[in-house]
Amino acid sequence: MRIVFLTALITLVAAPVLSQEPPPTGSAQRGHQSYTKYMCYTCHGTIGQGADRGAGPKIAPGLLPYPAFALQMRTPRQDMPAYRKEFVSDQELADMYAFLLTVKPSPAAKDIPLLKFD
């Protein structure tokens, strides 16, 4: 079990270094549709912010490099279902990645006027 974990960890860390290619071109609009169609939001939230009660981790903003993202989608760790090519095409994967890349970080609490109590 330990060897499997270490192999997966090395693969996740090394994949972006080994593959310096940019992520495939995807459509954020189609990606949002696929993200909804495959019900990713049920575990990862509507924009990848993570779900309540630890159902799924936050995945955006700060998305993994594409090779690690694709590896996690195709051969996931823990409880996430596998999204094999027979069910989710490479293009749909690229589209979902493009959608998640559009998620911007939230402003800092100090920069939200309604949270300033003077």
mmCIF file of all heavy atoms in Angstrom, residues 13-41:
data_model
loop_
_atom_site.group_PDB
_atom_site.id
_atom_site.type_symbol
_atom_site.label_atom_id
_atom_site.label_comp_id
_atom_site.label_asym_id
_atom_site.label_seq_id
_atom_site.Cartn_x
_atom_site.Cartn_y
_atom_site.Cartn_z
ATOM 1 N N VAL A 13 3.790 14.661 -8.732
ATOM 2 C CA VAL A 13 4.797 15.713 -8.635
ATOM 3 C C VAL A 13 5.617 15.792 -9.914
ATOM 4 O O VAL A 13 5.932 16.878 -10.401
ATOM 5 C CB VAL A 13 5.709 15.476 -7.409
ATOM 6 C CG1 VAL A 13 6.885 16.423 -7.404
ATOM 7 C CG2 VAL A 13 4.903 15.610 -6.132
ATOM 8 N N ALA A 14 5.965 14.651 -10.483
ATOM 9 C CA ALA A 14 6.852 14.627 -11.642
ATOM 10 C C ALA A 14 6.139 14.906 -12.957
ATOM 11 O O ALA A 14 6.755 15.411 -13.884
ATOM 12 C CB ALA A 14 7.555 13.268 -11.730
ATOM 13 N N ALA A 15 4.860 14.611 -13.048
ATOM 14 C CA ALA A 15 4.145 14.768 -14.318
ATOM 15 C C ALA A 15 4.258 16.167 -14.897
ATOM 16 O O ALA A 15 4.548 16.326 -16.083
ATOM 17 C CB ALA A 15 2.685 14.357 -14.159
ATOM 18 N N PRO A 16 4.056 17.233 -14.110
ATOM 19 C CA PRO A 16 4.181 18.560 -14.690
ATOM 20 C C PRO A 16 5.595 18.875 -15.163
ATOM 21 O O PRO A 16 5.792 19.576 -16.144
ATOM 22 C CB PRO A 16 3.789 19.501 -13.541
ATOM 23 C CG PRO A 16 3.045 18.655 -12.583
ATOM 24 C CD PRO A 16 3.567 17.269 -12.749
ATOM 25 N N VAL A 17 6.586 18.339 -14.483
ATOM 26 C CA VAL A 17 7.971 18.586 -14.864
ATOM 27 C C VAL A 17 8.301 17.844 -16.148
ATOM 28 O O VAL A 17 8.965 18.365 -17.037
ATOM 29 C CB VAL A 17 8.926 18.151 -13.732
ATOM 30 C CG1 VAL A 17 10.377 18.264 -14.156
ATOM 31 C CG2 VAL A 17 8.656 18.969 -12.478
ATOM 32 N N LEU A 18 7.828 16.604 -16.242
ATOM 33 C CA LEU A 18 8.102 15.798 -17.422
ATOM 34 C C LEU A 18 7.358 16.295 -18.645
ATOM 35 O O LEU A 18 7.815 16.164 -19.757
ATOM 36 C CB LEU A 18 7.724 14.333 -17.146
ATOM 37 C CG LEU A 18 8.528 13.646 -16.047
ATOM 38 C CD1 LEU A 18 7.969 12.253 -15.783
ATOM 39 C CD2 LEU A 18 9.996 13.579 -16.406
ATOM 40 N N SER A 19 6.189 16.862 -18.448
ATOM 41 C CA SER A 19 5.384 17.344 -19.559
ATOM 42 C C SER A 19 5.283 18.867 -19.479
ATOM 43 O O SER A 19 4.472 19.401 -18.751
ATOM 44 C CB SER A 19 3.988 16.721 -19.504
ATOM 45 O OG SER A 19 3.178 17.284 -20.504
ATOM 46 N N GLN A 20 6.122 19.543 -20.217
ATOM 47 C CA GLN A 20 6.124 21.001 -20.212
ATOM 48 C C GLN A 20 5.162 21.581 -21.241
ATOM 49 O O GLN A 20 5.135 22.777 -21.466
ATOM 50 C CB GLN A 20 7.543 21.523 -20.455
ATOM 51 C CG GLN A 20 8.516 21.163 -19.353
ATOM 52 C CD GLN A 20 8.121 21.746 -18.007
ATOM 53 O OE1 GLN A 20 7.633 22.859 -17.925
ATOM 54 N NE2 GLN A 20 8.311 20.992 -16.943
ATOM 55 N N GLU A 21 4.390 20.717 -21.872
ATOM 56 C CA GLU A 21 3.414 21.183 -22.856
ATOM 57 C C GLU A 21 2.294 21.943 -22.155
ATOM 58 O O GLU A 21 1.917 21.613 -21.039
ATOM 59 C CB GLU A 21 2.815 19.994 -23.608
ATOM 60 C CG GLU A 21 3.818 19.209 -24.406
ATOM 61 C CD GLU A 21 3.173 18.011 -25.083
ATOM 62 O OE1 GLU A 21 1.957 18.026 -25.320
ATOM 63 O OE2 GLU A 21 3.902 17.054 -25.360
ATOM 64 N N PRO A 22 1.758 22.959 -22.832
ATOM 65 C CA PRO A 22 0.605 23.657 -22.235
ATOM 66 C C PRO A 22 -0.608 22.732 -22.221
ATOM 67 O O PRO A 22 -0.660 21.752 -22.968
ATOM 68 C CB PRO A 22 0.388 24.840 -23.181
ATOM 69 C CG PRO A 22 1.008 24.428 -24.466
ATOM 70 C CD PRO A 22 2.130 23.495 -24.116
ATOM 71 N N PRO A 23 -1.586 23.030 -21.364
ATOM 72 C CA PRO A 23 -2.784 22.182 -21.343
ATOM 73 C C PRO A 23 -3.488 22.244 -22.697
ATOM 74 O O PRO A 23 -3.359 23.226 -23.428
ATOM 75 C CB PRO A 23 -3.653 22.795 -20.248
ATOM 76 C CG PRO A 23 -3.112 24.145 -20.004
ATOM 77 C CD PRO A 23 -1.681 24.139 -20.439
ATOM 78 N N PRO A 24 -4.218 21.202 -23.050
ATOM 79 C CA PRO A 24 -4.950 21.232 -24.316
ATOM 80 C C PRO A 24 -5.966 22.375 -24.321
ATOM 81 O O PRO A 24 -6.424 22.811 -23.274
ATOM 82 C CB PRO A 24 -5.646 19.881 -24.374
ATOM 83 C CG PRO A 24 -5.532 19.286 -23.029
ATOM 84 C CD PRO A 24 -4.460 19.998 -22.290
ATOM 85 N N THR A 25 -6.282 22.837 -25.500
ATOM 86 C CA THR A 25 -7.247 23.919 -25.632
ATOM 87 C C THR A 25 -8.632 23.409 -25.284
ATOM 88 O O THR A 25 -9.061 22.366 -25.768
ATOM 89 C CB THR A 25 -7.244 24.471 -27.073
ATOM 90 O OG1 THR A 25 -5.925 24.893 -27.390
ATOM 91 C CG2 THR A 25 -8.195 25.631 -27.214
ATOM 92 N N GLY A 26 -9.298 24.147 -24.425
ATOM 93 C CA GLY A 26 -10.641 23.763 -24.024
ATOM 94 C C GLY A 26 -11.544 24.984 -23.997
ATOM 95 O O GLY A 26 -11.072 26.117 -24.006
ATOM 96 N N SER A 27 -12.817 24.747 -23.932
ATOM 97 C CA SER A 27 -13.819 25.799 -23.858
ATOM 98 C C SER A 27 -14.365 25.856 -22.435
ATOM 99 O O SER A 27 -14.914 24.865 -21.942
ATOM 100 C CB SER A 27 -14.953 25.502 -24.838
ATOM 101 O OG SER A 27 -16.127 26.210 -24.488
ATOM 102 N N ALA A 28 -14.223 27.006 -21.792
ATOM 103 C CA ALA A 28 -14.730 27.166 -20.427
ATOM 104 C C ALA A 28 -16.249 26.978 -20.389
ATOM 105 O O ALA A 28 -16.778 26.395 -19.437
ATOM 106 C CB ALA A 28 -14.334 28.529 -19.869
ATOM 107 N N GLN A 29 -16.942 27.449 -21.418
ATOM 108 C CA GLN A 29 -18.404 27.312 -21.444
ATOM 109 C C GLN A 29 -18.812 25.844 -21.528
ATOM 110 O O GLN A 29 -19.652 25.374 -20.772
ATOM 111 C CB GLN A 29 -18.994 28.091 -22.616
ATOM 112 C CG GLN A 29 -20.503 28.026 -22.673
ATOM 113 C CD GLN A 29 -21.083 28.842 -23.820
ATOM 114 O OE1 GLN A 29 -20.357 29.361 -24.654
ATOM 115 N NE2 GLN A 29 -22.387 28.943 -23.861
ATOM 116 N N ARG A 30 -18.186 25.107 -22.436
ATOM 117 C CA ARG A 30 -18.479 23.671 -22.531
ATOM 118 C C ARG A 30 -18.018 22.952 -21.268
ATOM 119 O O ARG A 30 -18.645 21.992 -20.819
ATOM 120 C CB ARG A 30 -17.801 23.061 -23.764
ATOM 121 C CG ARG A 30 -18.483 23.371 -25.066
ATOM 122 C CD ARG A 30 -17.956 22.497 -26.209
ATOM 123 N NE ARG A 30 -16.519 22.291 -26.195
ATOM 124 C CZ ARG A 30 -15.651 22.915 -26.980
ATOM 125 N NH1 ARG A 30 -16.059 23.805 -27.856
ATOM 126 N NH2 ARG A 30 -14.363 22.639 -26.899
ATOM 127 N N GLY A 31 -16.908 23.430 -20.694
ATOM 128 C CA GLY A 31 -16.400 22.828 -19.469
ATOM 129 C C GLY A 31 -17.372 22.970 -18.321
ATOM 130 O O GLY A 31 -17.550 22.041 -17.527
ATOM 131 N N HIS A 32 -18.018 24.127 -18.227
ATOM 132 C CA HIS A 32 -19.028 24.322 -17.185
ATOM 133 C C HIS A 32 -20.183 23.354 -17.394
ATOM 134 O O HIS A 32 -20.707 22.769 -16.439
ATOM 135 C CB HIS A 32 -19.526 25.769 -17.188
ATOM 136 C CG HIS A 32 -20.529 26.038 -16.117
ATOM 137 N ND1 HIS A 32 -21.883 26.094 -16.378
ATOM 138 C CD2 HIS A 32 -20.385 26.220 -14.784
ATOM 139 C CE1 HIS A 32 -22.525 26.321 -15.246
ATOM 140 N NE2 HIS A 32 -21.644 26.395 -14.261
ATOM 141 N N GLN A 33 -20.570 23.160 -18.643
ATOM 142 C CA GLN A 33 -21.651 22.216 -18.950
ATOM 143 C C GLN A 33 -21.260 20.787 -18.565
ATOM 144 O O GLN A 33 -22.053 20.056 -17.978
ATOM 145 C CB GLN A 33 -22.017 22.292 -20.433
ATOM 146 C CG GLN A 33 -22.675 23.602 -20.810
ATOM 147 C CD GLN A 33 -22.775 23.805 -22.319
ATOM 148 O OE1 GLN A 33 -22.172 23.081 -23.105
ATOM 149 N NE2 GLN A 33 -23.535 24.808 -22.721
ATOM 150 N N SER A 34 -20.019 20.398 -18.875
ATOM 151 C CA SER A 34 -19.552 19.050 -18.528
ATOM 152 C C SER A 34 -19.412 18.892 -17.020
ATOM 153 O O SER A 34 -19.756 17.851 -16.455
ATOM 154 C CB SER A 34 -18.211 18.750 -19.203
ATOM 155 O OG SER A 34 -18.369 18.668 -20.589
ATOM 156 N N TYR A 35 -18.912 19.924 -16.350
ATOM 157 C CA TYR A 35 -18.752 19.903 -14.895
ATOM 158 C C TYR A 35 -20.113 19.666 -14.236
ATOM 159 O O TYR A 35 -20.225 18.924 -13.271
ATOM 160 C CB TYR A 35 -18.149 21.236 -14.460
ATOM 161 C CG TYR A 35 -17.752 21.339 -13.006
ATOM 162 C CD1 TYR A 35 -16.524 20.874 -12.556
ATOM 163 C CD2 TYR A 35 -18.592 21.946 -12.068
ATOM 164 C CE1 TYR A 35 -16.140 20.989 -11.232
ATOM 165 C CE2 TYR A 35 -18.218 22.063 -10.741
ATOM 166 C CZ TYR A 35 -16.993 21.585 -10.327
ATOM 167 O OH TYR A 35 -16.627 21.705 -9.015
ATOM 168 N N THR A 36 -21.143 20.276 -14.807
ATOM 169 C CA THR A 36 -22.501 20.091 -14.303
ATOM 170 C C THR A 36 -23.044 18.722 -14.709
ATOM 171 O O THR A 36 -23.612 18.001 -13.889
ATOM 172 C CB THR A 36 -23.415 21.212 -14.821
ATOM 173 O OG1 THR A 36 -22.880 22.468 -14.410
ATOM 174 C CG2 THR A 36 -24.828 21.070 -14.289
ATOM 175 N N LYS A 37 -22.872 18.356 -15.968
ATOM 176 C CA LYS A 37 -23.379 17.082 -16.493
ATOM 177 C C LYS A 37 -22.857 15.888 -15.687
ATOM 178 O O LYS A 37 -23.612 14.976 -15.362
ATOM 179 C CB LYS A 37 -22.957 16.929 -17.962
ATOM 180 C CG LYS A 37 -23.264 15.594 -18.583
ATOM 181 C CD LYS A 37 -22.731 15.557 -20.005
ATOM 182 C CE LYS A 37 -22.858 14.193 -20.636
ATOM 183 N NZ LYS A 37 -22.268 14.174 -21.984
ATOM 184 N N TYR A 38 -21.564 15.907 -15.361
ATOM 185 C CA TYR A 38 -20.961 14.795 -14.627
ATOM 186 C C TYR A 38 -21.049 14.976 -13.111
ATOM 187 O O TYR A 38 -20.459 14.222 -12.365
ATOM 188 C CB TYR A 38 -19.518 14.574 -15.085
ATOM 189 C CG TYR A 38 -19.474 14.124 -16.527
ATOM 190 C CD1 TYR A 38 -18.961 14.956 -17.511
ATOM 191 C CD2 TYR A 38 -19.987 12.889 -16.906
ATOM 192 C CE1 TYR A 38 -18.937 14.563 -18.839
ATOM 193 C CE2 TYR A 38 -19.975 12.491 -18.228
ATOM 194 C CZ TYR A 38 -19.446 13.327 -19.202
ATOM 195 O OH TYR A 38 -19.439 12.936 -20.504
ATOM 196 N N MET A 39 -21.786 15.983 -12.688
ATOM 197 C CA MET A 39 -22.108 16.240 -11.284
ATOM 198 C C MET A 39 -20.871 16.447 -10.400
ATOM 199 O O MET A 39 -20.869 16.105 -9.220
ATOM 200 C CB MET A 39 -23.010 15.130 -10.742
ATOM 201 C CG MET A 39 -24.326 15.063 -11.508
ATOM 202 S SD MET A 39 -25.427 13.739 -10.988
ATOM 203 C CE MET A 39 -25.809 14.245 -9.342
ATOM 204 N N CYS A 40 -19.842 17.051 -10.957
ATOM 205 C CA CYS A 40 -18.633 17.344 -10.182
ATOM 206 C C CYS A 40 -18.952 18.286 -9.021
ATOM 207 O O CYS A 40 -18.327 18.210 -7.966
ATOM 208 C CB CYS A 40 -17.575 17.979 -11.080
ATOM 209 S SG CYS A 40 -17.127 16.965 -12.509
ATOM 210 N N TYR A 41 -19.938 19.145 -9.235
ATOM 211 C CA TYR A 41 -20.313 20.134 -8.219
ATOM 212 C C TYR A 41 -20.820 19.497 -6.935
ATOM 213 O O TYR A 41 -20.762 20.100 -5.874
ATOM 214 C CB TYR A 41 -21.375 21.095 -8.769
ATOM 215 C CG TYR A 41 -22.680 20.424 -9.100
ATOM 216 C CD1 TYR A 41 -23.674 20.297 -8.137
ATOM 217 C CD2 TYR A 41 -22.914 19.894 -10.365
ATOM 218 C CE1 TYR A 41 -24.878 19.655 -8.428
ATOM 219 C CE2 TYR A 41 -24.092 19.250 -10.664
ATOM 220 C CZ TYR A 41 -25.076 19.128 -9.691
ATOM 221 O OH TYR A 41 -26.260 18.495 -9.976
#
